[in-house]
Amino acid sequence: MVKAFVTSVDVAQRAGVSRSAVSRTFTEGASVSPEVRRKVLQAAQELGYRVNRLAQGLNNSSSNLVGVVGANLSLPFMAKQLDMLSIGLLRRGLQCLLLNAADARSDIAPLIELIFEFRARAIVVLSGEPPMSIVDECLANGVKLIVINRQLARSDTDIILSDDIAGATLAAERLKAAGCRKVAVVTSGSGTPTQLRRCKAFSDVMTAAGTDIVVWHDGPTTYETGLKAARELLSDRQIDGAFCVTDIMAIGFLDGARNDMGRRVPEDLSVIGFDDIPQASWRSYELTTISQSFEVLTEAVLAALDHELGQSVITNVPVALIERSTVRR
Amino acid sequence: MVKAFVTSVDVAQRAGVSRSAVSRTFTEGASVSPEVRRKVLQAAQELGYRVNRLAQGLNNSSSNLVGVVGANLSLPFMAKQLDMLSIGLLRRGLQCLLLNAADARSDIAPLIELIFEFRARAIVVLSGEPPMSIVDECLANGVKLIVINRQLARSDTDIILSDDIAGATLAAERLKAAGCRKVAVVTSGSGTPTQLRRCKAFSDVMTAAGTDIVVWHDGPTTYETGLKAARELLSDRQIDGAFCVTDIMAIGFLDGARNDMGRRVPEDLSVIGFDDIPQASWRSYELTTISQSFEVLTEAVLAALDHELGQSVITNVPVALIERSTVRR
DNA sequence: TTGAAAGCGCTAACAA
DNA sequence: TTGTTAGCGCTTTCAA
C-alpha cells in the first residue's frame, strides 16, 4: 500500500542516465547537457520525483531550515511578527521550523536543542532568552543565532532591538505635552528586558521633569492585565495619564478606564501604548502609541541571516509616535 | 572555525563502544546494558552530541515533521489555531514545519510539495485547498493529510469542519428571537467554503421564517471589510440585525455601526458573529457570537494524526451560542 | 559532460 | 547485550 517515495535511482533508470546526472539537473549551476537535463526532468515529472531534503541536508551537513522559537503566538504582536517572518523566510528559499514555547516563562533551551538536531542553518529567538551555553554551542557549530528584543551580554550574536528608550521617551514627552500631572506606568509582572527598558526610560524622563509617577506591574502580558491595572489604579482620581508598555495591555487598560472606571479618554485621562498592533487602530480604541515597524524588524532578521558567524550586529528598530486619539491635544 | 557537529562515531570512540551502542542508547526501548548506557551518555554529554535528525529520518524514510500550511497568520482566528496546534504537536514529539502562504488566494500546492521534500509525516492544511493531484500523492506516499474547514469531494482524507450549519442556524434563531425584521449577512468576497456554508444556512432559516435578508460580500476577511460593510449597509435604516460570518468582520461591523453610522447596539441593531476569537470578549465589544472550541479543533487534528492512512474521518467541531451583549434580549 | 565510487550520520538486521 | 555490516538518498570528488 504505502509505497516509498521515488528516488533519484528510479529517475536515473527511467531516463537512462546515472544518478549523478539526476543530482546535477537538480543542482543549481552544475554542468549537464541540455539533452540529459531534458530527459531527467521528464522522467522525474512522470515518476513524481521530489528531492529528499533529509538526504540532501545530510550531505551538506546543514538543512535550509531556520528554527524559530516563540511563545504566545496568538498575541497580536507575536502573531504579526511570525506572519511576516515566515513569509520572508519562504521567499528566501528557507523553511521555518516552528517551536512554540507554550509559555513565556518556560525554558527555551530544549527547543533550541531540537533545532540543532535538525541541523538548522539559523535560529531566531522571538521570545525568551537562550542560555549562554547554547549561544556558545551555536557559535561552535556554525549555527547563526538571532535574538530579538533581548540584550545578551556578549558580542558575537546578532541582536535586534526595538528602540525602547527612544520610544518610551517619546511617550513621556507626549504625556508631558498633554499636561499630565500624575502618570501611571503599566507593565506585566514578567519583567521582560524590553518592558523593563521601556518602563525605566519613561520613568527617568518623568522623574527628571518632576512629574508624579506610579508604577504598576502584575500578571502576564495580556489584555486582562491591562484591564486589571485600570481597575486597581484608577481609584486614584489624580492619575491623568498612563503609559502601558505594550498595546495589548494599553487596550485592556483603555477598556477598564472607560467602561469600568468611568473615565473619559482623553478628556480625563491620556493613554499611550507601544508596538502599534493592528487592534490599536480599531475605531473603538484609536490608541495613540509608539510604533515599531514590523517591516524593518523582519528585514533585519532576514538580513542577519547573511551576516558572518560570530560577528555581532545590533540593529535598532526605529520607533515613531503614532498620534491617534487617546492623548489630549 | 566552523567545526562540524559531533557524530555518533565520536561518541562511540570516546565511550569505547560501537556506534550501534550509541544509537541504541538514544533509541527508545533498545537493549543496552546500564553500564554501556552510562558511558555513552557521559561521553555524549562531554562532547555535546546531538542526534542528527536528518540522518535519522533518512533511515526511516520519514521525519517526525508535520507540515502546516496556513495564510494570514496574524488574523486572530488563525493565530489562535496555530498557537494551539504547534504546542500540541510539540507535546506529541512532533515538529512543526510552517509554510505560510502569504495570501489566502495563493496556490498552496508548491508549499505542500516542499513539505513532501522533507518527508514530513503529515500535512495539516489550515487554509486553502489542496488540489486533488496532491491528495493522491499524499495517499501514494504514506503522508497523512488533514484538511481543516474544506469539504473535499473524496473519502480518503481526514477533514475537520466547524459545524457551520448548526452555528449559522443558532445565529438565525437568536436574531429571530430578538425580533429582527430585516437582517444583513456580511461575508468576505473570497467565498471560502466555510463562509459560504454559514451564509447559506443562515439565509435558509431566515427565508423560511419570512424574514427580510440582504447579503453583502466584498473584500478579504478582515476588520476593515466589516467596517466597510457597516458603512455601506446601514444607510438602510430598516436593517435591525446582522450576522457576520467571522468575528473579525463582526467587530469591524460593530465599530462602523456605532461610530460611523450612529447606531446603538443592541438597541437599534443586533449583531452576531462566528468563531469567538479572543477580541470578541473585549469590553468594548462583548460580541454575541457562535463559538467553535479551539481545544476540540486542535484535539481533532492531533487525533487525526493517528488515524490510519486513506481512511476518512470527518470531525465536526461543535458550536455553541455565546450570549454577550450585542443582541437584544 | 558524464559515470563510478565514496561518504554524509544514522539505524536495523544479523552474528557473535 | 554487543559489534559488524549494509543500506537510507543524496552530493561530490575523481577519472574517463
Side-chain angles (χ1 to χ4, degrees):
Chain A
M1 182 75 240
V2 175
K3 86 166 170 271
F5 274 86
V6 176
T7 77
S8 67
V9 179
D10 301 329
V11 177
Q13 240 157 29
R14 173 139 193 158
V17 297
S18 73
R19 292 147 66 203
S20 336
V22 177
S23 175
R24 285 189 192 106
T25 63
F26 288 104
T27 302
E28 198 72 18
S31 66
V32 220
S33 67
E35 171 59 8
V36 169
R37 178 182 207 83
R38 198 194 51 71
K39 283 197 290 187
V40 169
L41 250 25
Q42 181 179 345
Q45 164 83 338
E46 289 166 359
L47 262 30
Y49 169 72
R50 26 198 106 269
V51 180
N52 183 334
R53 300 234 176 194
L54 302 179
Q56 207 171 43
L58 188 53
N59 277 320
N60 319 330
S61 69
S62 149
S63 57
N64 40 184
L65 288 170
V66 171
V68 175
V69 351
N72 292 323
L73 267 32
S74 63
L75 289 183
F77 180 70
M78 263 301 168
K80 184 76 186 167
Q81 242 179 261
L82 179 62
D83 190 24
M84 297 194 58
L85 179 59
S86 55
I87 291 176
L89 287 175
L90 214 51
R91 225 174 247 149
R92 295 206 158 201
L94 265 17
Q95 279 68 52
C96 174
L97 184 64
L98 175 65
L99 286 308
N100 185 350
D103 187 315
R105 52 182 65 256
S106 65
D107 183 21
I108 62 171
L111 301 185
I112 299 188
E113 310 258 308
L114 211 45
I115 298 178
F116 275 130
E117 297 181 1
F118 279 97
R119 299 300 185 261
R121 163 163 302 181
I123 299 179
V124 180
V125 179
L126 295 180
S127 160
E129 186 165 327
M132 283 311 155
S133 59
I134 285 208
V135 180
D136 289 330
E137 223 172 337
C138 282
L139 219 55
N141 292 308
V143 177
K144 185 83 203 164
L145 180 65
I146 302 167
V147 179
I148 298 186
N149 280 339
R150 298 279 161 150
Q151 184 98 54
L152 299 186
R154 42 193 305 164
S155 56
D156 48 16
T157 304
D158 276 283
I159 297 179
I160 306 196
L161 293 171
S162 63
D163 198 341
D164 296 314
I165 316 265
T169 305
L170 237 36
E173 297 297 349
R174 184 65 189 83
L175 253 24
K176 268 167 52 187
C180 296
R181 301 303 190 84
K182 182 168 184 183
V183 168
V185 183
V186 175
T187 181
S188 78
S190 57
T192 66
T194 296
Q195 297 189 10
L196 255 27
R197 248 177 286 133
R198 291 175 187 178
C199 205
K200 175 163 187 328
F202 181 88
S203 304
D204 287 351
V205 175
M206 281 312 195
T207 305
T211 306
D212 209 2
I213 72 169
V214 36
V215 177
W216 186 99
H217 55 99
D218 191 21
T221 305
T222 58
Y223 171 88
E224 285 74 21
T225 294
L227 203 61
K228 187 176 172 204
R231 288 171 182 162
E232 295 185 1
L233 279 167
L234 297 180
S235 52
D236 178 351
R237 284 259 140 212
Q238 292 188 42
I239 294 179
D240 58 356
F243 170 51
C244 303
V245 299
T246 71
D247 277 0
I248 191 83
M249 292 189 291
I251 286 175
F253 189 87
L254 219 44
D255 270 345
R258 288 207 259 235
N259 300 303
D260 299 335
M261 306 305 290
R263 300 296 165 86
R264 290 170 308 156
V265 177
E267 294 83 351
D268 308 331
L269 176 73
S270 290
V271 177
I272 190 164
F274 206 123
D275 287 340
D276 197 25
I277 60 175
Q279 289 77 6
S281 64
W282 286 4
R283 292 286 273 110
S284 286
Y285 301 109
E286 294 185 345
L287 178 69
T288 295
T289 188
I290 308 299
S291 79
Q292 312 187 47
S293 160
F294 287 103
E295 284 74 19
V296 173
L297 198 156
T298 305
E299 264 320 306
V301 175
L302 295 176
L305 254 21
D306 297 328
H307 292 164
E308 204 159 329
L309 207 74
Q311 133 193 10
S312 164
V313 177
I314 299 188
T315 308
N316 259 288
V317 178
V319 295
L321 175 69
I322 306 293
E323 187 77 60
R324 283 197 274 252
S325 54
T326 55
V327 176
R328 206 176 322 137
R329 287 178 189 264
Chain B
M1 181 75 239
V2 174
K3 88 167 167 267
F5 275 87
V6 176
T7 77
S8 66
V9 179
D10 301 329
V11 177
Q13 239 157 31
R14 174 140 193 156
V17 297
S18 73
R19 292 149 64 205
S20 341
V22 177
S23 172
R24 284 195 272 261
T25 64
F26 288 103
T27 302
E28 198 72 18
S31 64
V32 218
S33 68
E35 172 58 9
V36 170
R37 175 180 209 84
R38 198 194 49 71
K39 283 197 291 190
V40 170
L41 250 24
Q42 182 179 343
Q45 164 82 339
E46 289 167 0
L47 262 30
Y49 168 73
R50 29 198 105 267
V51 180
N52 183 334
R53 300 233 177 197
L54 302 179
Q56 201 171 271
L58 189 53
N59 276 320
N60 319 328
S61 68
S62 148
S63 58
N64 41 185
L65 288 170
V66 171
V68 176
V69 351
N72 292 321
L73 267 33
S74 63
L75 290 183
F77 180 71
M78 263 301 169
K80 183 76 186 170
Q81 243 179 259
L82 179 63
D83 189 24
M84 296 193 61
L85 180 58
S86 55
I87 291 177
L89 287 175
L90 213 52
R91 225 173 247 148
R92 294 205 159 200
L94 266 17
Q95 279 68 51
C96 175
L97 183 65
L98 176 66
L99 287 307
N100 186 349
D103 187 313
R105 53 184 63 255
S106 65
D107 185 19
I108 61 172
L111 302 185
I112 299 188
E113 310 258 308
L114 211 45
I115 298 178
F116 275 130
E117 297 182 0
F118 278 97
R119 299 301 186 259
R121 166 164 299 185
I123 300 178
V124 180
V125 179
L126 296 179
S127 160
E129 185 165 330
M132 283 310 155
S133 59
I134 285 209
V135 180
D136 289 330
E137 222 172 337
C138 282
L139 219 56
N141 291 310
V143 177
K144 184 83 203 165
L145 180 65
I146 302 169
V147 179
I148 297 185
N149 280 338
R150 297 282 162 148
Q151 183 100 55
L152 300 185
R154 42 194 305 164
S155 56
D156 47 17
T157 304
D158 275 282
I159 297 178
I160 308 206
L161 293 170
S162 63
D163 198 341
D164 297 314
I165 315 265
T169 305
L170 237 35
E173 297 296 348
R174 184 65 189 83
L175 253 26
K176 268 166 53 188
C180 297
R181 301 302 190 85
K182 183 167 185 185
V183 168
V185 183
V186 175
T187 182
S188 78
S190 57
T192 66
T194 296
Q195 296 188 11
L196 255 26
R197 249 178 285 132
R198 292 175 186 177
C199 206
K200 174 163 188 329
F202 182 88
S203 304
D204 286 350
V205 176
M206 281 311 196
T207 305
T211 307
D212 210 3
I213 73 170
V214 36
V215 178
W216 186 98
H217 55 99
D218 192 22
T221 305
T222 58
Y223 170 88
E224 286 73 22
T225 294
L227 203 61
K228 186 175 172 207
R231 288 171 183 163
E232 296 187 0
L233 280 167
L234 297 180
S235 52
D236 179 351
R237 285 258 139 211
Q238 290 188 43
I239 293 179
D240 58 356
F243 170 50
C244 303
V245 299
T246 71
D247 277 1
I248 192 82
M249 292 189 291
I251 286 175
F253 188 86
L254 220 43
D255 269 346
R258 289 207 259 235
N259 299 303
D260 299 335
M261 306 305 289
R263 300 297 165 89
R264 292 170 307 157
V265 176
E267 294 83 349
D268 308 332
L269 176 72
S270 290
V271 177
I272 190 164
F274 206 123
D275 288 340
D276 197 24
I277 61 175
Q279 288 77 2
S281 64
W282 286 4
R283 292 286 274 111
S284 286
Y285 301 109
E286 296 185 345
L287 178 68
T288 295
T289 189
I290 307 298
S291 79
Q292 312 188 47
S293 160
F294 287 102
E295 285 74 20
V296 173
L297 198 156
T298 305
E299 265 318 306
V301 175
L302 295 176
L305 254 22
D306 297 328
H307 293 164
E308 204 160 327
L309 206 75
Q311 132 195 9
S312 165
V313 178
I314 299 187
T315 308
N316 257 287
V317 178
V319 295
L321 175 70
I322 305 292
E323 187 78 60
R324 285 196 273 251
S325 55
T326 55
V327 176
R328 207 177 320 136
R329 289 181 189 262

